[in-house]
């Protein structure tokens, strides 16, 4: 196991969407998990798609997530953690309602004591007690070092 790799970790929705295209799967935890919030966020996709092709692709993502994962619930512990997440975001000058899905996913990670794997680190900036691990987005070109 990669020393920076955790045994268990919660995947953010963007990471779940990118799974089939990830070029470096070793950045993921040994046991990747998702929350019910991610499944809810994915389920919105087909309903707001603007074409049949997009709708079908998004529905396939939902079905794949349902087949691959047993989502962690947003339970009482997550609800309590959400209060801390919302307070952290407010202290950081951010509105928790702006990124409600992200705040709720962060709450599940905190409640479960899991690191959160995401390509959108800035979405989780300012949340106390959340361990965020960057997942390179497959569409990003790595920087060339000279």
């Amino acid at each position: 196991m990669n020393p920076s790799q955790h045994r268990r970790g919660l995947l953010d929705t963007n990471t779940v969407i990118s799974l089939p295209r990830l070029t470096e799967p070793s950045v993921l935890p040994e046991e990747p998990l998702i929350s019910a919030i991610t499944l809810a966020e994915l389920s919105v996709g087909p309903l707001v798609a603007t074409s049949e092709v997009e709708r079908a692709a998004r529905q396939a993502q939902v079905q794949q997530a349902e087949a691959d994962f047993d989502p962690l619930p947003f339970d009482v512990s997550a609800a309590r953690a959400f209060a801390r997440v919302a307070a952290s975001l407010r202290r950081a000058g951010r509105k928790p309602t702006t990124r409600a899905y992200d705040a709720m996913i962060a709450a599940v990670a905190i409640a479960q004591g899991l690191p959160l794997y995401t390509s959108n680190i800035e979405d989780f900036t300012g949340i106390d007690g959340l361990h965020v691990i960057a997942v390179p987005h497959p569409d990003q070109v790595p920087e060339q070092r000279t």
Side-chain angles (χ1 to χ4, degrees):
M1 176 169 80
N2 180 335
S4 65
Q5 184 182 38
H6 290 80
R7 190 178 93 61
R8 299 174 78 223
L10 190 67
L11 306 184
D12 184 26
T13 307
N14 65 61
T15 304
V16 174
I17 291 169
S18 297
L19 280 175
R21 300 176 313 138
L22 284 181
T23 58
E24 193 56 50
S26 66
V27 300
L28 297 176
E30 256 181 65
E31 183 182 349
L33 304 164
I34 68 168
S35 72
I37 305 307
T38 291
L39 192 53
E41 190 173 11
L42 288 172
S43 295
V44 172
L47 301 175
V48 298
T50 57
S51 72
E52 286 304 316
V53 171
E54 182 183 14
R55 188 176 339 284
R58 289 181 176 194
Q59 186 61 42
Q61 287 175 334
V62 173
Q63 290 171 325
Q64 191 65 57
E66 289 174 339
D68 291 346
F69 298 99
D70 184 17
L72 298 173
F74 188 86
D75 58 12
V76 171
S77 296
R80 289 186 178 141
F82 180 78
R84 295 190 306 272
V85 168
S88 291
L89 289 171
R90 285 185 185 168
R91 281 192 298 274
R94 300 176 67 203
K95 294 181 181 180
T97 55
T98 305
R99 305 289 307 189
Y101 291 126
D102 292 334
M104 293 174 80
I105 290 167
V108 172
I110 291 168
Q112 296 284 331
L114 297 169
L116 180 67
Y117 288 74
T118 183
S119 297
N120 296 333
I121 293 176
E122 49 287 339
D123 289 349
F124 300 95
T125 301
I127 299 175
D128 298 335
L130 180 64
H131 180 69
V132 179
I133 297 175
V135 175
H137 194 280
D139 295 338
Q140 291 175 335
V141 178
E143 290 182 21
Q144 297 294 322
R145 297 187 187 246
T146 56

